[in-house]
Amino acid sequence: MVPPQFIDSFFKDLPFVVKIIWILATVFFFVLLNLILFLKVVRHRLRKKEAFLKNKGKEYEVHIVNYLYACEGCEDVNSTQEKLISELKLSLKTSVNRKVFVHTLLTLKGEVSGSMVDVINQLYRRLGLNKHALSRLRSSKWHVVAIGIRDLRRFKVLEAQKEVAKCINHSKVEVRRQAYLYFINLFGFKGLDFLDHLKISISVWDRIGILGALQEMKTQEVPDTRKWLRSQNSYVVLLALDLVRGYNLRENQEELLQLIQHQNSKVRLKTIHVLNHLYITEAKELLINAYETLTVKEQIAVFELLENMGAIEEESFVLKHITSHIFEIKVLALKILKQINTPKFLGVKNEMSRLGNFKLIDFLEKIP
């Protein structure tokens, strides 16, 4: 062992900067040593927890399988199943165990089919887990609410719709998204009634998610979107327009024509695209009359509609815009003129050639 007197004399002879370096090196050494020990403890605890969860999951899996096959095909719960339910209820008093059990239940649910799925959903209720999920909806933490709605949806707890409906206008989009999926997955097109009470926005991704969930429904029922096309919430109208287009609902023509005058430019633009898709020729005159009040994107959409269903009656309107300063409109106007009145187009083409617009003429010549 080095005598303390030697260490003391050694440090006295060192420059001040070197002393500071030695002190810092010593401090960092002990800090690093403590961190290594801390990480080892954390790693040990994580491994212990992982092993516990894995073993608990296997234990629950055995109980669930025993429950499923204890009385296969029986309508009522027998004594064996009652005993299993009692044992599970005692085990599920802690939140960790409930989390593991629900995860195991969902895993097994994905591996079975037919009546077994219904039995699993019934077991979820008989264990009172639906009540725990409902209690989550009253939490002040948004992620807890979202998990609660998700579990109610996955286990098809239909009687929770009144409580879930209260989350339709939640401040967090993640909660609203789970609420939308709950109503659609469990009630199909009828579940879209939540739109009647929606007061805030629906994101583009949520609209895509709702449409995707509806497409997975096996029913051929067609929704009545007219009330949503008349909604005061522009986001609801946008979703309704997606539905109209997706299901080719031409019977909503009157409501669609009224939307040409809608105050929201996004609604007007999507309406024009839908009118074009459904080939509603009655929209042409209304759009031409409203043309000057529309945005540039909407004006381009109007010309795309006329390109699809234009006729000689629109010639004078088209001729006004062949010299438009907006290139897309100019090209579309010339293309429409070529379709509805070729001789007139040839005369315009010669005039443009004389003025030196060779690139545009060459582009139009290549269009069939």
Side-chain angles (χ1 to χ4, degrees):
M1 185 175 179
V2 180
Q5 296 84 357
F6 177 80
I7 296 174
D8 186 55
S9 61
F10 174 75
F11 269 97
K12 282 182 179 179
D13 296 335
L14 289 176
F16 178 75
V17 175
V18 177
K19 288 181 181 179
I20 295 297
I21 293 172
W22 270 99
I23 293 170
L24 289 176
T26 305
V27 171
F28 286 141
F29 171 77
F30 283 106
V31 169
L32 181 61
L33 186 63
N34 286 328
L35 285 174
I36 291 172
L37 291 172
F38 174 75
L39 289 173
K40 281 186 174 292
V41 171
V42 171
R43 189 176 180 183
H44 173 72
R45 288 182 177 177
L46 288 174
R47 284 181 174 178
K48 192 175 179 180
K49 183 178 180 181
E50 184 180 351
F52 168 79
L53 294 177
K54 187 176 181 180
N55 292 331
K56 203 68 179 174
K58 288 181 178 179
E59 179 187 329
Y60 284 142
E61 185 176 342
V62 172
H63 283 303
I64 296 167
V65 171
N66 289 338
Y67 179 89
L68 293 176
Y69 292 100
C71 185
E72 191 175 357
C74 297
E75 293 184 3
D76 297 325
V77 178
N78 60 24
S79 58
T80 304
Q81 290 175 319
E82 288 283 5
K83 184 179 179 181
L84 286 169
I85 288 173
S86 299
E87 291 177 1
L88 287 170
K89 279 185 177 179
L90 289 173
S91 176
L92 298 177
K93 288 185 177 181
T94 63
S95 59
V96 174
N97 286 356
R98 285 197 298 272
K99 185 177 180 180
V100 175
F101 181 82
V102 170
H103 175 74
T104 307
L105 207 58
L106 285 170
T107 302
L108 288 174
K109 188 178 179 182
E111 296 174 357
V112 299
S113 60
S115 60
M116 287 292 187
V117 175
D118 295 330
V119 175
I120 288 177
N121 292 337
Q122 290 169 6
L123 176 60
Y124 182 81
R125 290 184 179 83
R126 283 175 176 144
L127 290 170
L129 293 173
N130 57 325
K131 295 179 181 178
H132 284 289
L134 279 169
S135 67
R136 287 174 177 265
L137 271 58
R138 294 187 288 274
S139 173
S140 59
K141 300 176 181 178
W142 67 266
H143 67 279
V144 175
V145 178
I147 291 171
I149 299 173
R150 182 201 63 186
D151 288 347
L152 292 170
R153 170 174 60 85
R154 287 176 171 178
F155 291 101
K156 299 188 182 302
V157 183
L158 303 178
E159 59 271 21
Q161 55 181 311
K162 288 185 179 179
E163 293 298 320
V164 177
K166 296 176 183 177
C167 301
I168 286 297
N169 293 301
H170 198 278
S171 59
K172 285 290 183 179
V173 65
E174 292 84 357
V175 175
R176 300 200 301 270
R177 185 173 298 137
Q178 288 297 330
Y180 303 158
L181 291 175
Y182 170 86
F183 283 106
I184 294 168
N185 289 162
L186 271 58
F187 302 99
F189 288 119
K190 186 172 177 56
L192 286 173
D193 286 343
F194 75 80
L195 295 173
D196 298 342
H197 310 288
L198 191 68
K199 298 177 182 178
I200 50 182
S201 65
I202 306 178
S203 69
V204 174
W205 290 112
D206 282 337
R207 295 209 307 268
I208 293 172
I210 290 171
L211 293 171
L214 289 172
Q215 288 173 359
E216 292 177 3
M217 305 298 296
K218 295 180 180 179
T219 178
Q220 297 298 315
E221 179 187 358
V222 178
D224 183 2
T225 59
R226 286 174 292 185
K227 61 178 179 179
W228 300 320
L229 290 171
R230 296 191 292 265
S231 173
Q232 297 300 310
N233 188 332
S234 297
Y235 296 98
V236 173
V237 179
L238 289 169
L239 176 60
L241 286 168
D242 287 329
L243 292 170
V244 170
R245 177 167 184 157
Y247 293 94
N248 295 316
L249 304 178
R250 281 186 60 90
E251 58 268 28
N252 294 327
Q253 176 177 316
E254 182 180 344
E255 285 75 19
L256 291 173
L257 294 176
Q258 290 175 359
L259 287 177
I260 292 173
Q261 303 294 333
H262 199 277
Q263 60 183 359
N264 188 299
S265 61
K266 291 182 180 179
V267 171
R268 294 196 303 268
L269 180 61
K270 186 177 281 290
T271 299
I272 298 169
H273 288 314
V274 173
L275 290 167
N276 191 8
H277 174 76
L278 297 177
Y279 206 88
I280 297 178
T281 56
E282 291 82 357
K284 292 192 292 182
E285 184 178 353
L286 293 173
L287 288 170
I288 289 172
N289 291 336
Y291 183 83
E292 297 301 329
T293 65
L294 303 177
T295 65
V296 172
K297 286 185 178 179
E298 294 167 52
Q299 290 176 346
I300 293 171
V302 169
F303 272 92
E304 289 173 344
L305 181 143
L306 292 176
E307 182 187 12
N308 184 33
M309 61 180 81
I312 194 67
E313 290 82 6
E314 288 83 48
E315 181 181 343
S316 60
F317 174 76
V318 171
L319 283 170
K320 290 179 183 178
H321 296 88
I322 59 174
T323 57
S324 174
H325 66 281
I326 301 168
F327 181 77
E328 292 91 339
I329 293 177
K330 182 191 296 186
V331 171
L332 286 167
L334 289 167
K335 286 171 68 178
I336 295 166
L337 183 62
K338 184 180 179 181
Q339 291 173 5
I340 63 178
N341 192 337
T342 303
K344 190 78 173 180
F345 168 76
L346 292 173
V348 171
K349 184 191 77 169
N350 294 332
E351 181 65 20
M352 293 180 73
S353 298
R354 188 178 64 81
L355 295 173
N357 291 329
F358 298 111
K359 289 185 179 180
L360 182 57
I361 293 299
D362 182 59
F363 172 74
L364 290 168
E365 287 290 344
K366 291 178 182 178
I367 298 174

